[in-house]
Amino acid sequence: MNRIRSKINSMYFLLLRLLTGAAAAAFLFFWGLNNIGTYIVDRFYDSNYVTRRELAYVEKLQRYIDEKELDSRNAGALNSWVKKQKMISVQIYKDDILIFDSEYPEQVLWDEDIALNEYVWENYYTVTFSDGSARVSIWGTYAYQLYNYVLLAAVAVSFLLFLALVLLGIRTKMNYILLLNDEIKILESGSLDYKITVKGKDELAALAEGLDCMRESFRNLIDSEAKIMNENRKIITEMSHDLRTPVTSIMLYTEILKKGKYKSEEQLTEYLEKIDRKACRMKQLTDHLFEYSLVTGETEIVLEEAETFEVLFYDLISESCSYLQQKGFRTEVTVEWIGRKTIVCTDYIIRMMDNIVSNIIKYADMEVPVVVCSVCEGNMAGFAFENAVRKDGDKAESTCVGIQSIKSMMVKMNGSCRVRQGQEQFRIELLFPLL
């Protein structure tokens, strides 16, 4: 059905409809104009009009006779004049005898003594030849000529109308093409916020829609790259601050040890342990930064086959809760397993769970249970981890690298990560697409 609609809306069918519509409009216009012209001719054409035309031809004939000094027997010259008029027949009578008939130009009528038969519908006019006067009867196809004029005028005007309608339809498409050309130049200048105009349902509209989708893709890509750059800049700034603290402490304790300003072996051992902890902290931060650079790189991940949530996450959540319990935390699991499937990357899931568990151990309050529950929203479902923030935690050691890594991994798996962090509570939600 869509294919049939696409063909109907194609440029070929549009041009065919344009030509057909213009031809129909031109024909109707011709029919109306011809009828109006015929009506006017019928009203205008009468005996007075015929008389005026005949008198005009009689005057022309008299001037011709005077110029050529013709006599009534010069049939050849008279016939030549009648042929030039193209639409009349002439009969000339002298002494009531027919001496010339343009219908029989080769026939000599002098010797036949054809008498004049005056008819009521015919008019007779007097002309003067060099050998005396004669009576002339002129008959012309005046009405036929008028009808031909009306027909030709109707055809000409109707054709012009047809041509104008076709050119107008083509000009509309040409204007649209010029508009698209101008809008493409605007996009070339870098204004990706300018929306491409989409008109109609033909190939040009499909082209415009494709250009607009491409514009949206470029803009989203640029926005995404800008967002990534800002996030990377933010991470680098935060990491610089987080690294500066242990480095400063290491330098301080190293300076104390170099100058021997410790009071006892116990204090020396304490300083060495502090240096070791700060060094371990620096290694942990650099490992997180390296992990974040790997996740946010340009390499594409391979998603595995679709599987149910229970199969994918049951063991991971159980192991994570068991590990937290070994570390002295209490857990409350209220997960409802749905029968739907999703697609994930197992390596990413393991990394995310390790990050979440590690953050809980470092920053969560052991007096408040860690809650693990189900989350469902629209066509996405997943899990939430919620814990209370430890009040005496080392705030200087906090970093957002782990959270940023989780967000990047979720985006690559077509999911989303939402974080709600306050002074006393922390909650992270992982949502995966349902199949």
Side-chain angles (χ1 to χ4, degrees):
M1 182 63 70
N2 292 332
R3 188 175 181 181
I4 295 175
R5 290 180 180 175
S6 178
K7 287 185 177 181
I8 292 176
N9 294 322
S10 67
M11 294 287 292
Y12 299 105
F13 278 90
L14 287 177
L15 181 59
L16 179 61
R17 288 200 295 269
L18 174 62
L19 293 175
T20 304
F27 175 77
L28 292 176
F29 185 78
F30 164 77
W31 179 79
L33 189 62
N34 187 58
N35 286 341
I36 293 173
T38 302
Y39 174 78
I40 294 175
V41 169
D42 292 339
R43 291 291 303 272
F44 177 76
Y45 187 80
D46 56 12
S47 59
N48 293 329
Y49 175 80
V50 174
T51 302
R52 289 195 300 271
R53 294 298 302 274
E54 290 177 347
L55 286 173
Y57 279 112
V58 169
E59 292 178 359
K60 289 176 64 176
L61 177 60
Q62 184 63 62
R63 288 195 299 271
Y64 180 73
I65 292 172
D66 295 340
E67 290 174 1
K68 300 296 183 178
E69 297 181 351
L70 300 178
D71 58 31
S72 57
R73 293 178 177 269
N74 201 333
L78 293 173
N79 187 60
S80 176
W81 180 83
V82 172
K83 287 183 178 180
K84 291 180 180 180
Q85 310 312 309
K86 295 182 179 180
M87 57 169 296
I88 62 173
S89 296
V90 177
Q91 292 178 334
I92 300 177
Y93 296 88
K94 187 174 178 62
D95 298 329
D96 295 333
I97 300 299
L98 180 63
I99 62 174
F100 175 79
D101 189 346
S102 61
E103 296 293 327
Y104 308 97
E106 304 299 329
Q107 186 174 359
V108 180
L109 302 176
W110 282 88
D111 299 330
E112 297 185 9
D113 293 334
I114 301 176
L116 171 63
N117 292 321
E118 294 191 16
Y119 299 100
V120 176
W121 60 86
E122 288 186 343
N123 297 320
Y124 297 90
Y125 307 92
T126 301
V127 294
T128 302
F129 291 91
S130 60
D131 59 346
S133 298
R135 300 182 70 185
V136 176
S137 173
I138 297 178
W139 178 84
T141 55
Y142 311 121
Y144 177 76
Q145 183 185 41
L146 291 177
Y147 289 133
N148 281 342
Y149 287 159
V150 169
L151 179 63
L152 292 176
V155 170
V157 175
S158 300
F159 176 76
L160 291 176
L161 176 64
F162 170 79
L163 191 62
L165 292 176
V166 172
L167 292 178
L168 182 62
I170 295 176
R171 183 179 180 182
T172 302
K173 287 299 177 183
M174 290 301 300
N175 289 338
Y176 184 41
I177 293 174
L178 295 176
L179 175 62
L180 291 180
N181 183 57
D182 294 338
E183 292 180 339
I184 290 174
K185 291 180 179 178
I186 294 175
L187 296 183
E188 289 176 351
S189 66
S191 301
L192 295 179
D193 291 330
Y194 187 88
K195 184 175 177 60
I196 297 294
T197 304
V198 179
K199 293 182 179 179
K201 298 179 180 179
D202 55 13
E203 290 84 351
L204 287 178
L207 174 62
E209 188 173 358
L211 288 173
D212 196 60
C213 291
M214 183 176 65
R215 174 191 67 84
E216 286 286 349
S217 299
F218 278 130
R219 188 180 68 173
N220 293 336
L221 179 62
I222 293 175
D223 292 342
S224 177
E225 290 179 352
K227 184 178 179 181
I228 292 174
M229 290 182 64
N230 290 333
E231 289 180 352
N232 290 339
R233 190 179 297 110
K234 180 180 177 182
I235 291 297
I236 291 172
T237 302
E238 292 176 350
M239 288 296 297
S240 298
H241 178 269
D242 292 338
L243 286 171
R244 190 180 296 113
T245 300
V247 168
T248 303
S249 299
I250 290 174
M251 292 177 64
L252 176 62
Y253 291 124
T254 303
E255 187 68 22
I256 292 174
L257 295 178
K258 285 171 61 178
K259 293 182 178 181
K261 293 182 179 181
Y262 52 88
K263 297 178 180 180
S264 61
E265 290 296 326
E266 289 79 7
Q267 195 175 41
L268 172 61
T269 303
E270 180 185 353
Y271 287 165
L272 290 175
E273 289 178 353
K274 288 183 178 180
I275 291 174
D276 183 66
R277 285 199 302 270
K278 298 299 180 183
C280 290
R281 176 60 180 165
M282 288 178 61
K283 182 179 182 302
Q284 186 182 30
L285 291 174
T286 54
D287 289 343
H288 283 172
L289 184 61
F290 178 69
E291 181 183 1
Y292 177 73
S293 65
L294 289 178
V295 173
T296 57
E298 296 298 328
T299 56
E300 293 292 334
I301 67 168
V302 178
L303 297 177
E304 300 162 6
E305 293 184 1
E307 193 55 81
T308 61
F309 278 78
E310 186 174 5
V311 172
L312 291 172
F313 299 104
Y314 180 82
D315 290 338
L316 285 173
I317 293 177
S318 298
E319 292 173 3
S320 299
C321 291
S322 298
Y323 184 74
L324 288 173
Q325 291 171 2
Q326 293 175 7
K327 292 294 183 178
F329 290 89
R330 289 179 295 143
T331 59
E332 293 182 1
V333 181
T334 57
V335 175
E336 295 180 1
W337 301 107
I338 60 176
R340 303 287 294 275
K341 293 184 177 182
T342 188
I343 299 177
V344 298
C345 175
T346 303
D347 290 340
Y348 276 10
I349 297 298
I350 294 174
R351 287 186 191 180
M352 290 190 299
M353 295 300 295
D354 289 342
N355 277 333
I356 293 173
V357 171
S358 176
N359 287 337
I360 290 174
I361 293 173
K362 285 189 292 185
Y363 306 118
D365 187 353
M366 298 180 64
E367 301 298 327
V368 180
V370 176
V371 178
V372 183
C373 61
S374 300
V375 179
C376 187
E377 184 176 303
N379 199 36
M380 302 187 77
F383 313 95
F385 296 82
E386 187 172 350
N387 61 270
V389 179
R390 190 167 64 241
K391 294 182 174 57
D392 58 346
D394 187 2
K395 303 298 182 184
E397 292 186 351
S398 64
T399 179
C400 296
V401 177
I403 300 300
Q404 293 297 333
S405 299
I406 293 174
K407 288 182 177 180
S408 298
M409 286 186 280
M410 289 299 296
V411 169
K412 288 194 173 185
M413 291 187 293
N414 302 317
S416 67
C417 172
R418 293 187 301 197
V419 176
R420 300 175 186 174
Q421 186 170 4
Q423 295 294 329
E424 299 181 353
Q425 204 75 14
F426 178 85
R427 179 183 174 91
I428 182 170
E429 297 178 357
L430 305 178
L431 292 170
F432 301 90
L434 295 173
L435 300 179

Short mmCIF file of all heavy atoms in Angstrom, two decimals, residues 375-400:
data_model
loop_
_atom_site.label_atom_id
_atom_site.label_comp_id
_atom_site.label_asym_id
_atom_site.label_seq_id
_atom_site.Cartn_x
_atom_site.Cartn_y
_atom_site.Cartn_z
N VAL A 375 12.73 -1.37 38.83
CA VAL A 375 12.29 -0.10 38.27
C VAL A 375 11.72 -0.39 36.89
O VAL A 375 12.33 -1.12 36.10
CB VAL A 375 13.43 0.93 38.17
CG1 VAL A 375 12.92 2.22 37.55
CG2 VAL A 375 14.04 1.20 39.53
N CYS A 376 10.55 0.15 36.61
CA CYS A 376 9.92 -0.03 35.29
C CYS A 376 9.34 1.31 34.85
O CYS A 376 8.60 1.94 35.60
CB CYS A 376 8.84 -1.10 35.35
SG CYS A 376 8.17 -1.54 33.73
N GLU A 377 9.68 1.70 33.64
CA GLU A 377 9.21 2.99 33.13
C GLU A 377 9.03 2.91 31.62
O GLU A 377 10.01 2.81 30.87
CB GLU A 377 10.20 4.10 33.48
CG GLU A 377 9.73 5.49 33.07
CD GLU A 377 10.71 6.57 33.52
OE1 GLU A 377 10.97 6.63 34.73
OE2 GLU A 377 11.19 7.31 32.66
N GLY A 378 7.78 2.95 31.15
CA GLY A 378 7.51 2.88 29.72
C GLY A 378 7.97 1.56 29.14
O GLY A 378 7.61 0.48 29.61
N ASN A 379 8.81 1.63 28.11
CA ASN A 379 9.32 0.44 27.44
C ASN A 379 10.71 0.08 27.95
O ASN A 379 11.50 -0.54 27.24
CB ASN A 379 9.36 0.66 25.92
CG ASN A 379 9.44 -0.65 25.16
OD1 ASN A 379 8.84 -1.64 25.56
ND2 ASN A 379 10.19 -0.65 24.07
N MET A 380 11.01 0.50 29.19
CA MET A 380 12.31 0.20 29.77
C MET A 380 12.11 -0.31 31.20
O MET A 380 11.16 0.07 31.88
CB MET A 380 13.22 1.45 29.78
CG MET A 380 13.45 2.04 28.40
SD MET A 380 14.67 3.37 28.40
CE MET A 380 16.18 2.41 28.50
N ALA A 381 13.03 -1.17 31.63
CA ALA A 381 12.96 -1.73 32.98
C ALA A 381 14.38 -1.99 33.46
O ALA A 381 15.32 -2.09 32.68
CB ALA A 381 12.13 -3.01 33.00
N GLY A 382 14.52 -2.11 34.80
CA GLY A 382 15.85 -2.35 35.36
C GLY A 382 15.81 -2.38 36.87
O GLY A 382 14.83 -2.83 37.46
N PHE A 383 16.88 -1.84 37.47
CA PHE A 383 17.05 -1.95 38.92
C PHE A 383 17.56 -0.63 39.48
O PHE A 383 18.16 0.18 38.77
CB PHE A 383 18.04 -3.07 39.25
CG PHE A 383 17.77 -4.34 38.51
CD1 PHE A 383 18.45 -4.62 37.33
CD2 PHE A 383 16.82 -5.24 38.97
CE1 PHE A 383 18.19 -5.79 36.63
CE2 PHE A 383 16.56 -6.40 38.27
CZ PHE A 383 17.24 -6.68 37.10
N ALA A 384 17.32 -0.45 40.78
CA ALA A 384 17.80 0.73 41.48
C ALA A 384 18.54 0.28 42.73
O ALA A 384 18.13 -0.67 43.42
CB ALA A 384 16.64 1.64 41.85
N PHE A 385 19.67 0.96 43.02
CA PHE A 385 20.45 0.73 44.24
C PHE A 385 20.40 2.03 45.05
O PHE A 385 20.77 3.09 44.54
CB PHE A 385 21.89 0.37 43.90
CG PHE A 385 22.03 -0.93 43.15
CD1 PHE A 385 21.84 -1.00 41.77
CD2 PHE A 385 22.35 -2.10 43.82
CE1 PHE A 385 21.97 -2.18 41.08
CE2 PHE A 385 22.47 -3.30 43.14
CZ PHE A 385 22.28 -3.34 41.77
N GLU A 386 19.97 1.90 46.30
CA GLU A 386 19.81 3.08 47.13
C GLU A 386 20.47 2.85 48.49
O GLU A 386 20.33 1.78 49.09
CB GLU A 386 18.32 3.39 47.32
CG GLU A 386 18.05 4.69 48.04
CD GLU A 386 16.57 5.05 48.04
OE1 GLU A 386 15.81 4.36 47.31
OE2 GLU A 386 16.18 5.99 48.75
N ASN A 387 21.23 3.84 48.92
CA ASN A 387 21.91 3.74 50.22
C ASN A 387 22.00 5.11 50.88
O ASN A 387 21.91 6.14 50.21
CB ASN A 387 23.31 3.15 50.05
CG ASN A 387 24.20 4.02 49.17
OD1 ASN A 387 24.23 3.84 47.95
ND2 ASN A 387 24.91 4.96 49.76
N ALA A 388 22.21 5.10 52.21
CA ALA A 388 22.42 6.34 52.96
C ALA A 388 23.89 6.72 52.89
O ALA A 388 24.77 5.84 52.90
CB ALA A 388 21.98 6.16 54.42
N VAL A 389 24.17 8.02 52.80
CA VAL A 389 25.54 8.50 52.69
C VAL A 389 26.17 8.57 54.08
O VAL A 389 25.56 9.09 55.03
CB VAL A 389 25.57 9.89 52.01
CG1 VAL A 389 27.00 10.40 51.93
CG2 VAL A 389 24.94 9.81 50.62
N ARG A 390 27.37 8.01 54.21
CA ARG A 390 28.08 8.03 55.49
C ARG A 390 28.49 9.46 55.83
O ARG A 390 29.10 10.15 55.03
CB ARG A 390 29.31 7.13 55.41
CG ARG A 390 29.98 6.89 56.76
CD ARG A 390 30.99 5.76 56.70
NE ARG A 390 32.10 6.06 55.81
CZ ARG A 390 32.42 5.36 54.74
NH1 ARG A 390 31.67 4.32 54.40
NH2 ARG A 390 33.44 5.69 54.01
N LYS A 391 28.16 9.90 57.00
CA LYS A 391 28.40 11.28 57.40
C LYS A 391 29.86 11.57 57.66
O LYS A 391 30.33 12.69 57.48
CB LYS A 391 27.57 11.62 58.65
CG LYS A 391 26.07 11.60 58.42
CD LYS A 391 25.32 11.99 59.68
CE LYS A 391 23.82 12.10 59.39
NZ LYS A 391 23.26 10.87 58.84
N ASP A 392 30.64 10.58 58.10
CA ASP A 392 32.05 10.81 58.38
C ASP A 392 32.94 10.35 57.24
O ASP A 392 34.11 10.10 57.42
CB ASP A 392 32.45 10.08 59.67
CG ASP A 392 32.20 8.58 59.57
OD1 ASP A 392 31.49 8.18 58.63
OD2 ASP A 392 32.71 7.84 60.42
N GLY A 393 32.34 10.23 56.04
CA GLY A 393 33.12 9.78 54.89
C GLY A 393 34.14 10.80 54.45
O GLY A 393 34.00 12.00 54.70
N ASP A 394 35.20 10.32 53.79
CA ASP A 394 36.25 11.20 53.29
C ASP A 394 35.79 11.84 51.99
O ASP A 394 35.92 11.24 50.92
CB ASP A 394 37.54 10.39 53.08
CG ASP A 394 38.72 11.29 52.72
OD1 ASP A 394 38.53 12.53 52.67
OD2 ASP A 394 39.81 10.74 52.47
N LYS A 395 35.26 13.05 52.07
CA LYS A 395 34.69 13.71 50.89
C LYS A 395 35.74 14.02 49.85
O LYS A 395 35.46 14.12 48.67
CB LYS A 395 33.98 15.01 51.31
CG LYS A 395 32.88 14.81 52.34
CD LYS A 395 31.78 13.93 51.82
CE LYS A 395 30.67 13.77 52.83
NZ LYS A 395 29.63 12.85 52.38
N ALA A 396 36.96 14.19 50.28
CA ALA A 396 38.02 14.56 49.33
C ALA A 396 38.32 13.44 48.36
O ALA A 396 38.86 13.66 47.29
CB ALA A 396 39.29 14.96 50.08
N GLU A 397 37.99 12.22 48.76
CA GLU A 397 38.31 11.09 47.90
C GLU A 397 37.20 10.78 46.90
O GLU A 397 37.32 9.86 46.11
CB GLU A 397 38.59 9.86 48.76
CG GLU A 397 39.87 9.97 49.59
CD GLU A 397 40.19 8.69 50.30
OE1 GLU A 397 39.32 7.78 50.28
OE2 GLU A 397 41.28 8.58 50.88
N SER A 398 36.09 11.47 46.95
CA SER A 398 34.98 11.18 46.04
C SER A 398 35.32 11.64 44.63
O SER A 398 35.98 12.66 44.44
CB SER A 398 33.72 11.88 46.53
OG SER A 398 33.90 13.28 46.49
N THR A 399 34.87 10.90 43.64
CA THR A 399 35.08 11.26 42.23
C THR A 399 33.88 10.79 41.43
O THR A 399 33.18 9.87 41.83
CB THR A 399 36.37 10.63 41.68
OG1 THR A 399 36.51 10.99 40.32
CG2 THR A 399 36.34 9.12 41.79
N CYS A 400 33.66 11.43 40.30
CA CYS A 400 32.50 11.09 39.45
C CYS A 400 32.89 10.18 38.29
O CYS A 400 32.07 9.94 37.40
CB CYS A 400 31.87 12.37 38.92
SG CYS A 400 31.16 13.42 40.19
#
